[in-house]
């Protein structure tokens, strides 16, 4: 039998995925599992988007342009302008989810052996896309004690080598919910400029910022316009994870030309997803406000509730719909598995994502979990109560 | 400004794509352009598929499983069984088009520097996916004189080195329409077995076989079950290129586990596309027969017409909906561009794909074009007449 590729072996298997069979088994036993583990919003897709879906009157479901429909890209420019991001339709390449945008950015920008610096905990799949491109991620740990703020500039500079080609940030952050300050973004800008790096900036959660602090996009930073690659997706914004529509945006014309070659090879992004995404831009103010208000409430409810459980600590996330919390357990991987395999309280349990999957070093985040607040408040309330009971019962409790 | 990656530079820009601006300009001038250049069927998507689209009653367009919905995969096993391909739902991984299946197969099977052998002319984007994976394609030319039959076994063996990891075939073939015989498939099987290679087999055109010759799938070959990776797509079968649904099928469990890690990184294939593709499996016999009959007629009409034009030669394609024809021109790239930029006959012209994009050596296929018969007969008739007029007027005509 021929061998698997080295990168095929190296690809990380997500610690969340490993728990899915345990969750399935718990459900088979009739246990209610509260899914705090995944960034799949439970909130409805906008009606205007579903209407567009039902009203598609094409008779041939044909290829769309490799960079996406121009009408959609034109309309997106107005959306971005509302965030003071000034781009033209030509600057925007529509991708199959934000995932493809990251992969194509890496393939087009990074040579095998090149390095990118990523503050961690970080979205686990960045690692997978880096491996796909043969590139190495050099992680800089941020800590729960400092609320997951940007590590200091000298820590970035200590990691910069001849092979360093870029910095990747996620802002607001998955998994921590952290929102980079103007000062932090300026620091990133200065490093990017000084070393002429790419700045890959994943900003798919910009709608979800809760503190009144300003949203500073990588696209707002002056003097590094040619270095910035914005990663975007409609998945979270409109509860449309399944339509697989994202975007790669850059003012760097040469880079766009290269990315387009990867886009042309895969022919086109999903046709129907684009029609839905374009319609979603007309989602009402009311829809967007309702969604926002819902997350604001859930966030307050969840974080208050977590910090009330003895031994649990969560910083207050400023954005997105996740938090990384510290639990009084020996090992969060073991605890999360135990919750699914060995524990239930009144027929209920919780499925959380062990934070180990978001760190590159096995030493880090061992007592942390990522919790997504994509459940309605009543369910969050039950989940919090179940979590408290689980911590009381867990044999590996540390305090 | 940071540099583009080496692979970003190396990615081929399709010769067809280069002609698109010329085609657009011709249209702006009011010229009717007959598109013989692209594999986008003009035939309708099955009604049952469009109905499924309109009847989607979900309120959240959420992620689907990374390997696709089980219900769809279960239903696909019956479809494959009808072609004597015996697979289980577990053997099938749903991908974002056949394109992603090829990319993930290469990423999971090939190390940078590994080689795969591909008979050419070949689908141009295989090269792009190989570059993405850092692998090298070693091409074996087949010739129009031999009707694009499989090159002899010794030509394959001459190319095999320590780095050779696989053979890639497309059967029925894009761009030539060639259908590999049982004897040829057995020869491929023997090489694959002898050298323990992967056999990547792209069989997306299996519905379109016109000569009564049997369809021999790579999955029919005994003794290399663990080596075969079947690439599939619903794009051509149901005129659904835009929904981006394909599949990677293999009995090799270890390989599937590796491919799944790439699938999990990109989260899921398109949700709505899967619902449409699943419904399409219920397309009526009548729909499938009408489509088939239409292509049978077009094929006869096109090939007869081509061979009647002085100096033009096309073998009779046995499958798919393309043919590679030889034209009496100095350079098909120049001729195809000239048709769009400098020529029109009674306000019409033709857009053909220069065959150079399907060969690795610039010496090959210089006087060949790929013609897709995805136009209705009346348009094919006009296109053939315009082509004849263009050849009469072209300054670089050779005979």
């Amino acid at each position: 039998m021929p061998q698997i590729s080295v990168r095929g072996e190296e690809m990380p298997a997500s610690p969340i995925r490993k728990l899915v069979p345990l969750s399935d088994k718990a459900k088979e036993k009739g246990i209610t599992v509260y899914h705090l583990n995944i960034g799949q919003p439970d909130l409805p897709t906008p009606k205007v988007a579903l209407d567009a879906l039902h009203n598609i009157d094409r008779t041939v479901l044909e290829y769309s342009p490799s960079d996406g429909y121009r009408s959609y890209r034109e309309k997106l420019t107005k959306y971005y302008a509302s965030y003071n991001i000034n781009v033209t339709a030509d600057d925007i390449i529509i991708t199959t989810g934000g995932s493809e945008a990251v992969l194509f950015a890496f393939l087009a920008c990074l040579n095998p052996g090149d390095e990118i610096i990523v503050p961690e905990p970080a979205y686990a799949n960045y690692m997978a896309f880096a491996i796909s491109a043969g590139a190495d991620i050099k992680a800089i740990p941020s800590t729960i004690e400092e609320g997951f703020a940007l590590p200091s500039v000298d820590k970035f500079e200590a990691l910069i080598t001849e092979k360093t080609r870029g910095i990747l940030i996620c802002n607001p952050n998955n998994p921590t919910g952290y929102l980079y300050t103007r000062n932090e973004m300026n620091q990133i800008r200065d490093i990017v400029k000084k070393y002429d790096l790419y700045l890959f900036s994943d900003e798919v959660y910009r709608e979800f910022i809760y503190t009144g602090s300003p949203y500073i996009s990588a696209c707002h930073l002056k003097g590094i316009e040619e270095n910035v690659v914005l990663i975007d997706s409609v998945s979270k914004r409109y509860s449309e994870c399944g339509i697989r529509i994202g975007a790669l945006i850059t003012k760097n014309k040469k880079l766009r030309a290269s990315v387009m070659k990867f886009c042309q090879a895969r022919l086109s992004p999903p046709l129907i997803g684009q029609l839905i995404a374009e319609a979603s831009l007309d989602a009402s103010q009311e829809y967007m406000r309702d969604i926002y208000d819902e997350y604001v409430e859930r966030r307050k409810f969840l974080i208050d509730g977590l910090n009330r459980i003895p031994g649990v600590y969560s910083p207050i996330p400023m954005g997105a719909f996740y938090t990384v919390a510290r639990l009084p357990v020996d090992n969060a991987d073991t605890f999360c598995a135990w919750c699914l395999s060995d524990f239930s309280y009144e027929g209920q349990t919780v499925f959380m994502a062990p934070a180990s999957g978001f760190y590159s070093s096995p030493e880090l985040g061992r007592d942390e979990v990522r919790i997504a607040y994509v459940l309605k408040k009543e369910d969050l309330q039950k989940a919090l109560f179940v979590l408290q009971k689980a911590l009381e019962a867990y044999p590996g409790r540390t305090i």
Side-chain angles (χ1 to χ4, degrees), chain A:
Chain A
M1 195 194 320
Q3 291 301 295
I4 303 304
S5 71
V6 173
R7 96 191 112 211
E9 302 277 7
E10 282 177 353
M11 283 284 284
S14 149
I16 304 179
R17 297 274 170 183
K18 280 187 227 160
L19 299 181
V20 170
L22 298 181
S23 166
D24 290 344
K25 262 192 202 160
K27 285 177 205 166
E28 279 167 28
K29 285 190 273 179
I31 295 171
T32 301
V33 177
Y34 295 110
H35 281 268
L36 305 168
N37 59 301
I38 189 167
Q40 168 62 58
D42 60 322
L43 299 173
T45 304
K47 187 173 175 300
V48 66
L50 296 170
D51 287 348
L53 168 64
H54 296 136
N55 293 331
I56 289 170
D57 64 353
R58 291 159 186 258
T59 54
V60 185
L61 300 178
E62 64 200 355
Y63 290 123
S64 61
S66 296
D67 50 356
Y69 283 114
R70 178 158 279 270
S71 61
Y72 176 40
R73 291 184 286 121
E74 294 282 2
K75 210 163 152 185
L76 273 176
T77 62
K78 296 191 192 86
Y79 162 79
Y80 288 116
S82 76
Y83 283 94
N84 202 22
I85 295 173
N86 296 307
V87 290
T88 68
D90 289 332
D91 299 332
I92 303 171
I93 294 172
I94 304 304
T95 56
T96 306
S99 300
E100 189 181 71
V102 177
L103 177 63
F104 285 179
F106 287 0
L107 286 172
C109 296
L110 308 177
N111 289 316
D114 280 353
E115 298 171 358
I116 51 175
I117 301 174
V118 184
E120 68 176 11
Y123 178 57
N125 290 324
Y126 296 145
M127 179 65 82
F129 299 127
I131 290 172
S132 297
D136 291 326
I137 284 185
K138 299 291 167 184
I140 303 188
S142 66
T143 65
I144 195 165
E145 290 77 13
E146 296 175 20
F148 298 111
L150 190 74
S152 64
V153 168
D154 56 311
K155 288 199 178 137
F156 279 86
E157 294 204 308
L159 281 186
I160 289 178
T161 71
E162 278 193 354
K163 290 181 178 174
T164 309
R165 298 294 292 274
I167 292 173
L168 170 70
I169 58 172
C170 178
N171 183 38
N173 191 270
N174 172 11
T176 67
Y178 190 81
L179 179 73
Y180 291 116
T181 65
R182 186 181 300 274
N183 188 33
E184 287 170 326
M185 289 301 285
N186 286 344
Q187 288 173 12
I188 291 172
R189 176 202 60 200
D190 292 345
I191 306 170
V192 164
K193 199 168 182 174
K194 182 171 172 188
Y195 297 95
D196 197 19
L197 304 175
Y198 283 110
L199 175 55
F200 306 103
S201 190
D202 177 346
E203 304 180 4
V204 306
Y205 297 99
R206 76 173 65 79
E207 269 70 22
F208 309 114
I209 293 177
Y210 309 113
T211 60
S213 298
Y215 155 59
I216 312 294
S217 168
C219 294
H220 296 154
L221 305 174
K222 302 286 177 208
I224 57 166
E225 289 79 1
E226 299 277 313
N227 303 64
V228 168
V229 182
L230 185 70
I231 307 295
D232 211 347
S233 164
V234 300
S235 291
K236 313 296 176 170
R237 189 179 306 155
Y238 305 118
S239 280
E240 289 174 351
C241 299
I243 67 170
R244 311 312 298 131
I245 295 295
L248 184 156
I249 299 172
T250 180
K251 294 274 177 194
N252 185 325
K253 206 171 162 181
K254 201 177 158 196
L255 175 57
R256 284 205 309 270
S258 179
V259 170
M260 272 306 291
K261 292 194 274 185
F262 293 92
C263 290
Q264 286 166 358
R266 63 71 165 121
L267 304 170
S268 69
L271 159 72
I272 298 166
Q274 286 179 81
L275 303 178
I276 293 170
E278 183 169 339
S280 301
L281 288 167
D282 294 325
S284 67
Q285 293 281 334
E286 195 189 352
Y287 169 88
M288 298 306 291
R289 200 179 49 237
D290 286 352
I291 297 283
Y292 179 85
D293 290 347
E294 177 69 22
Y295 282 123
V296 167
E297 274 212 47
R298 290 178 182 183
R299 163 179 165 268
K300 180 167 167 38
F301 187 82
L302 173 73
I303 306 303
D304 286 356
L306 282 172
N307 284 317
R308 237 180 261 129
I309 300 175
V312 174
Y313 169 65
S314 170
I316 300 174
M318 294 166 273
F321 38 64
Y322 310 97
T323 193
V324 171
R326 188 167 54 204
L327 306 183
V329 297
D330 55 349
N331 182 310
D333 283 79
T334 315
F335 176 64
C336 291
W338 177 87
C339 285
L340 295 167
S341 61
D342 287 68
F343 174 80
S344 68
Y345 177 78
E346 294 185 351
Q348 310 158 90
T349 193
V350 287
F351 188 169
M352 295 171 297
S356 60
F358 304 101
Y359 289 96
S360 55
S361 160
E363 300 310 307
L364 297 172
R366 287 183 64 126
D367 57 355
E368 298 170 10
V369 292
R370 185 190 73 172
I371 295 177
Y373 38 105
V374 292
L375 301 181
K376 55 179 191 280
K377 233 166 68 177
E378 304 87 87
D379 287 339
L380 279 180
Q381 181 159 33
K382 290 179 200 160
L384 279 165
F385 194 67
V386 169
L387 171 60
Q388 177 161 1
K389 292 289 174 191
L391 285 167
E392 286 167 9
Y394 179 58
R397 187 181 167 95
T398 52
I399 52 176

